[in-house]
Amino acid sequence: MDGQTIFDALVLGIVEGLTEFIPVSSTGHLLLLGHFLGFESTGKTFEVLIQLGAILAILTVYAGRLWKIAVALPSDQNARLFVLGILLAFLPAAVIGVMAHKFIKEVLFESPALICTTLLLGGFVLLWVDKIELKPRYTNVMDYPLWLCFVIGVFQCLAMVPGVSRSGATIAGALLLGTDKRSAAEFSFFLAMPTMVGAFAYDLFKNRDVLSADDATLIAIGFVASFIAGVFVVRGLLDFVSRHGFAPFAYWRIIVGLAGFAGLYLVG
């Protein structure tokens, strides 16, 4: 393991933390950037496992609120329904992720052109969703009905295709189903916790026999970098979305998608 590989892992970890919670596809960015850097991880585990660092950022920032929900569970029906809603939203991705794991890792993750395409298409979709006039009926994640949580979870499954964006799919789905922008982004935060922990545990289990000490070192570097970068994003994202909406992220997706196609054309 040389210094360049360590530097690449650090850069990719920062990119993961900066992009995990915004609707631009952290996985798409990691795979595309890794392709041009020549970064290869064993079984594409690095790109999945370092996401837990970003999830730890949510747990750190939302620790007080999560504790209040946990304490309220025995006596507060709203708290119990909220937790049940998150679990229902997580269920579709858990089932499809297990069933399609091999296809996702060995086929979809290995197609930079597909990632560029989904980044572009997702950017146009997000731009359309951000501009249409929607009348929110749900503005508090604690009041989301169970059916709404489950359908948002179905939207999350679109992110099995790299470049679609887990947060982008859930946010766009939530907005189309009648939520406001701030609560849609916040629900995506909460849904990320079981989703990413589940992805981490399953991917680690599937690749436990092929990971080396060097792999573990790179993952640790990426994990720490994604955690630190993720803290900054989580702290400021909701206020940013309230002021500016999702159009800036849509334009970023389009720029990255076009740049990716240009890079593939020029250097392969």
Side-chain angles (χ1 to χ4, degrees):
M1 181 172 56
D2 57 21
Q4 183 62 48
T5 303
I6 294 174
F7 178 76
D8 291 346
L10 178 62
V11 170
L12 291 169
I14 294 172
V15 170
E16 160 60 28
L18 293 176
T19 58
E20 176 60 46
F21 307 113
I22 61 178
V24 299
S25 179
S26 62
T27 302
H29 277 67
L30 290 182
L31 293 173
L32 204 56
L33 182 57
H35 172 79
F36 290 117
L37 290 174
F39 182 87
E40 290 289 339
S41 66
T42 303
K44 294 296 183 183
T45 54
F46 176 90
E47 291 82 354
V48 175
L49 298 186
I50 67 168
Q51 293 177 349
L52 193 64
I55 298 308
L56 184 60
I58 293 185
L59 295 176
T60 301
V61 175
Y62 274 67
R65 187 165 180 184
L66 291 170
W67 175 252
K68 289 180 180 179
I69 293 172
V71 170
L73 282 175
S75 58
D76 190 336
Q77 184 178 6
N78 284 341
R80 292 195 294 270
L81 288 175
F82 173 72
V83 172
L84 179 58
I86 294 295
L87 293 177
L88 282 174
F90 163 66
L91 186 61
V95 173
I96 294 178
V98 170
M99 294 177 60
H101 181 266
K102 184 176 181 180
F103 176 75
I104 293 168
K105 295 295 286 292
E106 295 182 4
V107 178
L108 299 183
F109 272 34
E110 299 291 344
S111 178
L114 171 65
I115 295 170
C116 293
T117 300
T118 51
L119 282 170
L120 280 171
L121 293 178
F124 289 120
V125 170
L126 192 61
L127 197 60
W128 169 71
V129 171
D130 190 66
K131 290 185 178 296
I132 60 177
E133 293 293 332
L134 297 171
K135 295 181 179 179
R137 302 191 303 277
Y138 309 103
T139 59
N140 186 339
V141 292
M142 299 297 294
D143 296 330
Y144 280 16
L146 294 181
W147 71 265
L148 176 61
C149 297
F150 180 78
V151 178
I152 292 174
V154 174
F155 273 94
Q156 181 177 234
C157 294
L158 296 173
M160 299 294 176
V161 181
V164 169
S165 171
R166 186 203 59 79
S167 59
T170 56
I171 288 170
L175 291 175
L176 292 174
L177 292 167
T179 73
D180 71 319
K181 293 176 181 178
R182 186 183 182 92
S183 71
E186 189 171 39
F187 188 84
S188 179
F189 282 176
F190 283 108
L191 181 53
M193 297 178 198
T195 302
M196 293 296 99
V197 169
F200 175 93
Y202 188 71
D203 206 78
L204 183 60
F205 173 77
K206 295 289 287 186
N207 292 281
R208 66 193 184 281
D209 296 328
V210 298
L211 293 175
S212 66
D214 284 349
D215 292 322
T217 300
L218 293 176
I219 290 169
I221 292 171
F223 180 97
V224 173
S226 70
F227 166 73
I228 295 172
V231 168
F232 287 101
V233 174
V234 173
R235 288 187 182 278
L237 180 61
L238 295 183
D239 288 338
F240 182 89
V241 167
S242 297
R243 293 194 304 269
H244 304 289
F246 297 107
F249 307 119
Y251 290 124
W252 175 257
R253 291 178 62 103
I254 293 169
I255 291 170
V256 172
L258 291 174
F261 271 125
L264 291 175
Y265 176 77
L266 294 173
V267 300

